Amino acid sequence: MRVEPVSLEMDGGVVCLEPLEVSHANDLLAAGADPSVWTYLMEHPRTLEDMRGLIGRALEAQRSGREVPFAVVEVATGRAVGSTRYEDILPAHRSLEIGWTWYGAPWQRTACNTQCKYMLLRHAFEVLGAVRVQLKADARNLRSLAAIERIGAVREGTLRKHRISSGTPSASA
């Protein structure tokens, strides 16, 4: 299983996925202006420099083979409205995770997430040959948990103290 940057689209889609690039930074900063977007993620980019740094770290993880980040691009406008990634890529086990997903507030609870997950899952299973794709969400992130359930994913359990996010109290709590 060789996971590489690729563009993904679907007929009649409202969004497509492009390999994430620094050139997406302006759009992504504007899309992520609402602080609630970042509640359960590990970073909250507030400036263009912050967003470029986030993208740079994602691209470094891509170069190391750990992740493949995407920009979520609205087809009608050509603007990046969010981001998602293949991560925790384990070629020997033919498995990966879809994560680090976020959309600007106007694109939440729209067809955007369903279409992105469909394209990512289809590519993972049909092209990459994955036998397992996992999705995770903070147990307090009811909106994401409901979205995962809506696409038909099977809940396997709860990971406790798995990761520290911006919505997590200090590690000593």
Side-chain angles (χ1 to χ4, degrees):
M1 188 174 84
R2 187 177 169 109
V3 186
E4 296 181 340
V6 63
S7 293
L8 301 173
E9 58 186 56
M10 59 187 281
D11 289 340
V14 297
V15 292
C16 63
L17 297 171
E18 297 178 355
L20 184 64
E21 298 178 0
V22 175
S23 63
H24 293 114
N26 286 321
D27 286 350
L28 292 176
L29 183 64
D34 184 334
S36 69
V37 168
W38 306 98
T39 301
Y40 299 105
L41 293 171
M42 294 170 53
E43 296 185 53
H44 176 179
R46 292 173 174 86
T47 67
L48 188 55
E49 184 178 322
D50 290 347
M51 183 59 75
R52 287 181 178 143
L54 185 149
I55 292 169
R57 287 183 291 284
L59 295 176
E60 179 58 36
Q62 176 178 290
R63 284 188 288 277
S64 73
R66 296 187 323 265
E67 299 180 358
V68 175
F70 297 89
V72 178
V73 176
E74 186 177 50
V75 172
T77 64
R79 290 182 307 168
V81 299
S83 184
T84 190
R85 301 179 193 181
Y86 284 140
E87 59 183 356
D88 199 17
I89 299 167
L90 301 171
H93 298 285
R94 294 177 40 209
S95 71
L96 54 80
E97 178 179 340
I98 297 171
W100 245 107
T101 301
W102 67 270
Y103 309 108
W107 296 273
Q108 295 174 6
R109 298 191 58 81
T110 69
C112 178
N113 185 57
T114 305
Q115 289 182 7
C116 284
K117 294 302 188 289
Y118 173 77
M119 290 184 286
L120 290 165
L121 289 164
R122 179 183 63 189
H123 185 72
F125 288 119
E126 294 179 7
V127 177
L128 299 176
V131 296
R132 177 181 175 80
V133 175
Q134 63 184 11
L135 299 106
K136 297 177 194 156
D138 190 293
R140 298 164 296 168
N141 190 345
L142 302 180
R143 187 170 50 210
S144 287
L145 292 170
I148 291 168
E149 184 178 304
R150 276 194 306 275
I151 65 168
V154 176
R155 182 182 174 97
E156 293 184 342
T158 301
L159 300 173
R160 290 173 176 76
K161 298 184 180 182
H162 174 65
R163 290 191 179 144
I164 293 175
S165 68
S166 63
T168 304
S170 70
S172 63

